[in-house]
Amino acid sequence: MEDGFLDSAGWQAMLEREGMPESSAAIGLLRREDFTARCGTLLLWCNDTGGCRAVLREYNGRAGEDVAVLLVADREALTALREDGWSPLQAMIRQGRLHPYMLKTMDELEAAGLAEFVEDLGLVFPKH
């Protein structure tokens, strides 16, 4: 059953509707089964000179140096994200349907322009 994950045009429409933080790093989205298998397709949301883009690439257990935040989601969470944009993110995290992984330090996230996005997810970093 196709879940729409590979529909980069659908994801591009979501990004154009919702916008993305101005960032020098990418946000990656991965299906839970691909994360578990350490093999599959990674969807990247990234900014380039043409604006915000949805790009697909192979996933082999590593997201890549350009990815700052990795979101691992079940099918329902993927559908909700594509249809409803950013608004259901916090609820999906609380429900365990979407798991965020920070692949950079808070300082690196701030430098990349993603600190506010991470805070909007309801995630906090301890201040030491």
Side-chain angles (χ1 to χ4, degrees):
M1 179 177 103
E2 177 53 46
D3 59 10
F5 182 76
L6 300 177
D7 175 20
S8 52
W11 290 110
Q12 187 65 42
M14 185 279 284
L15 290 175
E16 289 170 7
R17 185 179 69 245
E18 294 289 314
M20 184 179 149
E22 229 7 85
S23 173
S24 59
I27 298 170
L29 182 63
L30 197 58
R31 291 179 281 201
R32 184 166 288 149
E33 57 267 24
D34 290 357
F35 180 75
T36 302
R38 300 183 63 77
C39 179
T41 303
L42 177 66
L43 172 69
L44 294 176
W45 296 324
C46 49
N47 287 302
D48 62 22
T49 55
C52 191
R53 299 276 175 246
V55 180
L56 296 170
R57 78 172 175 215
E58 184 179 346
Y59 176 73
N60 59 6
R62 296 188 49 83
E65 289 298 314
D66 57 336
V67 179
V69 178
L70 180 64
L71 304 174
V72 177
D74 64 23
R75 282 187 194 276
E76 293 80 22
L78 292 170
T79 300
L81 267 177
R82 198 173 46 259
E83 293 175 1
D84 303 327
W86 305 125
S87 60
L89 274 175
Q90 279 190 347
M92 289 186 295
I93 290 169
R94 282 192 306 273
Q95 295 163 0
R97 295 175 43 215
L98 185 140
H99 297 276
Y101 295 90
M102 302 308 115
L103 305 181
K104 305 285 184 194
T105 66
M106 190 60 191
D107 289 340
E108 290 171 317
L109 290 169
E110 284 178 11
L114 288 174
E116 190 172 315
F117 176 80
V118 169
E119 289 172 10
D120 288 347
L121 293 178
L123 306 174
V124 295
F125 285 82
K127 304 275 189 217
H128 296 283

